[in-house]
Amino acid sequence: MSGYRPTDEAGAGLLFLREEQIRLAQTMMFLAGRDMAEAVSPILEDHGIGRAHYRVLQVLAFSPRIPVSRLQDILGVTKQSLGRTLGEMQERGYLESESCLRDRRQKLLRLSKAGQTVEAELFAAAKHRLMGAYREAGGAAVEGFRRVMWGMLSESSRALVADEGTARKKGRHGA
């Protein structure tokens, strides 16, 4: 398999749809995910939490006040697995919940101040990695990356990203 070189021009030879290039992209995505996970691992260890907790923190940071059932859908986990994770996070004081006004049986979750603090530490590590990569790649490459990532998202994931963008514009998250 031929390797990627940072000096290669985008679309050089227009052979980016060849199987070897797709396999290279798949490998790079796997390694990037692994490396991002390694970047936050020391922080997770410091707080005595795992990757399941991290995923909940991430989702609640970009989508506060969501029902537990929606969180379960986004994470793609079983009710039992999510219940264990949420229970541990509740014990640590990372979560707050309130009843939904439309349906009192539904609990809406958000991060507590303690949860926001831990999530901010984790985000800072991820942000550092992303900013370095973005600076190295440049604006056009970053836009290309976003387009590729958008193209890989399912319709439900696209809706989640679009909903989040709308919520931020309306100031729902205090941003």
Side-chain angles (χ1 to χ4, degrees), residues 2 5 19 44 56 76 81 83 93 95 97 101 109 111 113 119 123 127 133 136 142 151 153 157 162 165 170 173:
S2 68
R5 304 287 182 274
E19 184 172 337
L44 295 175
V56 171
S81 174
L95 301 177
S97 66
L101 295 177
L109 298 176
L111 296 177
K113 290 290 184 197
E119 190 280 331
F123 178 72
K127 177 181 162 185
E136 184 177 316
V142 170
L153 295 178
S157 293
K170 290 181 178 177
H173 303 313

Side-chain angles (χ1 to χ4, degrees), residues 92-108:
R92 292 173 175 273
Y94 293 168
L95 301 177
E96 295 176 350
S97 66
E98 64 187 72
S99 294
C100 178
L101 295 177
R102 290 180 300 219
D103 182 352
R104 296 300 235 171
R105 295 170 297 172
Q106 274 192 346
K107 285 200 307 189
L108 304 178

Side-chain angles (χ1 to χ4, degrees), residues 8 20 62 85 87 146:
D8 289 351
E20 66 187 50
F62 73 75
T85 302
R146 286 184 185 142

Side-chain angles (χ1 to χ4, degrees), residues 140-161:
V142 170
E143 180 56 29
F145 170 73
R146 286 184 185 142
R147 288 179 185 208
V148 169
M149 295 303 291
W150 182 259
M152 294 179 64
L153 295 178
S154 66
E155 287 302 317
S156 63
S157 293
R158 286 181 180 193
L160 182 66
V161 172

Side-chain angles (χ1 to χ4, degrees), residues 10-25 148:
L14 300 176
L15 299 176
F16 52 86
L17 293 179
R18 292 179 62 171
E19 184 172 337
E20 66 187 50
Q21 293 301 312
I22 300 298
R23 285 189 181 277
L24 176 60
V148 169

